[in-house]
Amino acid sequence: MPSDSAPTDTEILEHAVAELVRRTRFPVAFGGLARGDSIHVSSIVGARTRSLDGLVVEASRGLGGRALVEKRPRLALDYRSARSITHDYDRAVLGEGISTLFAIPVLVAGRTRGVIYCGSWAEAPVGDVVARPAFAVADELSSELRIRDEVQRRLTRTPPPAEAVTMAPAAREELRQTYAELRSIAAVIDDPALRDRLARLERRLAALSQDASEPPVGLDVHLSPREIDVLACAALGLTNGEIAATLDLREGTVKSYLQSAMAKLDASTRHAAVATARRAGLLP
């Protein structure tokens, strides 16, 4: 995948499924995104057969179909004899030799966007050791999809770069708010891959707001991620206290980052620093 392209929903799902196998003790994992009233399995890791390929799980059918509709995890400790589910997909699941199957819905804004599964070929208990990391993977996938949805929603309301010179003030302000929100989200994420994806989206947002009538200023300046975070919030008119609350920093730390950024940008005020950073393409 090119470094300047945003990940697709399918690529985000693939990463989550791989993480299920890595973080839990289950050897096989698979998952799919919702299309209408069904889950289309598109990512499989650890399978020994091709039985799960192309699996489509309908709402309320099977373990995943129940997770889709009920919006809560479902477990079949012994899948073959489970009485709480329909057995529409026995050929796929039992064909892979799966005995214990755990299905977790991926919820975004109260809607099931997908279901991820982890399973084992022998009957295996699902306690906190397995459930906690599986839930964490589902939560991370939900967050990525939510962020991507929001960015795409806002980008569709923003002119392309060639028309940026005529961007309405309200649209430009909303773009800047989106950028600041993405920076605050990225600041509390530990996953390097996810932070890198967010950084690519941030660069796209910054490029969208550039004024075509004013060529960018070339500056030999490197701002730290935190200095950019603080400047992005300052650009919205937030006080030091409000910035501290947004980024979970001490107010004194915010002041220190602002002073450092101002010195690097040769600016005497925060407003001048923001203006210079925008002309340099460091902020939208």
Side-chain angles (χ1 to χ4, degrees):
M1 180 175 61
S3 61
D4 59 348
S5 63
T8 65
D9 288 357
T10 300
E11 290 168 334
I12 292 171
L13 173 70
E14 290 172 352
H15 174 74
V17 170
E19 284 295 292
L20 271 182
V21 171
R22 188 180 72 83
R23 298 191 204 178
T24 70
R25 296 178 177 178
F26 277 40
V28 59
F30 55 100
L33 297 173
R35 299 183 196 171
D37 293 330
S38 60
I39 297 294
H40 292 245
V41 172
S42 61
S43 181
I44 305 168
V45 174
R48 300 183 295 191
T49 73
R50 301 185 66 86
S51 296
L52 298 168
D53 290 6
L55 179 62
V56 177
V57 179
E58 301 295 336
S60 299
R61 314 304 295 176
L63 196 70
R66 289 197 62 179
L68 167 64
V69 172
E70 297 175 7
K71 300 180 182 179
R72 62 189 182 95
R74 302 298 307 181
L75 170 68
L77 191 60
D78 182 358
Y79 183 90
R80 183 183 297 274
S81 63
R83 296 181 178 180
S84 61
I85 61 172
T86 68
H87 284 269
D88 300 59
Y89 312 109
D90 282 6
R91 176 175 294 184
V93 176
L94 298 178
E96 171 56 31
I98 291 174
S99 177
T100 294
L101 187 62
F102 190 32
I104 308 107
V106 179
L107 304 178
V108 179
R111 182 167 64 95
T112 304
R113 283 288 304 278
V115 175
I116 54 177
Y117 304 76
C118 50
S120 65
W121 300 301
E123 188 173 322
V126 178
D128 283 349
V129 172
V130 172
R132 188 176 295 114
F135 292 154
V137 171
D139 286 344
E140 291 164 12
L141 175 56
S142 172
S143 295
E144 287 203 59
L145 291 173
R146 177 181 59 79
I147 291 167
R148 191 171 186 276
D149 286 350
E150 179 62 15
V151 171
Q152 291 301 321
R153 184 186 70 81
R154 296 197 180 214
L155 286 179
T156 58
R157 299 168 59 184
T158 305
E163 301 173 13
V165 66
T166 60
M167 183 184 295
R172 189 184 297 274
E173 183 62 24
E174 184 171 5
L175 184 147
R176 288 168 175 169
Q177 291 174 357
T178 299
Y179 179 88
E181 183 179 0
L182 281 177
R183 293 293 309 184
S184 66
I185 292 171
V188 297
I189 290 176
D190 295 326
D191 185 343
L194 178 53
R195 285 204 308 271
D196 183 60
R197 290 172 178 174
L198 289 174
R200 290 197 293 270
L201 291 175
E202 290 161 9
R203 288 194 292 271
R204 289 174 62 193
L205 289 179
L208 281 172
S209 69
Q210 293 303 302
D211 192 331
S213 67
E214 295 184 8
V217 176
L219 290 180
D220 186 19
V221 171
H222 174 73
L223 297 182
S224 72
R226 272 310 198 187
E227 288 168 347
I228 295 177
D229 293 341
V230 169
L231 275 183
C233 290
L236 299 179
L238 301 186
T239 65
N240 286 357
E242 290 169 335
I243 296 173
T246 299
L247 300 178
D248 194 24
L249 298 173
R250 295 180 181 276
E251 191 169 344
T253 303
V254 169
K255 184 177 180 180
S256 176
Y257 281 130
L258 274 175
Q259 290 175 338
S260 175
M262 288 163 55
K264 291 179 180 180
L265 295 169
D266 194 24
S268 58
T269 68
R270 67 170 64 194
H271 302 295
V274 167
T276 300
R278 284 175 175 163
R279 289 197 300 273
L282 301 175
L283 289 178

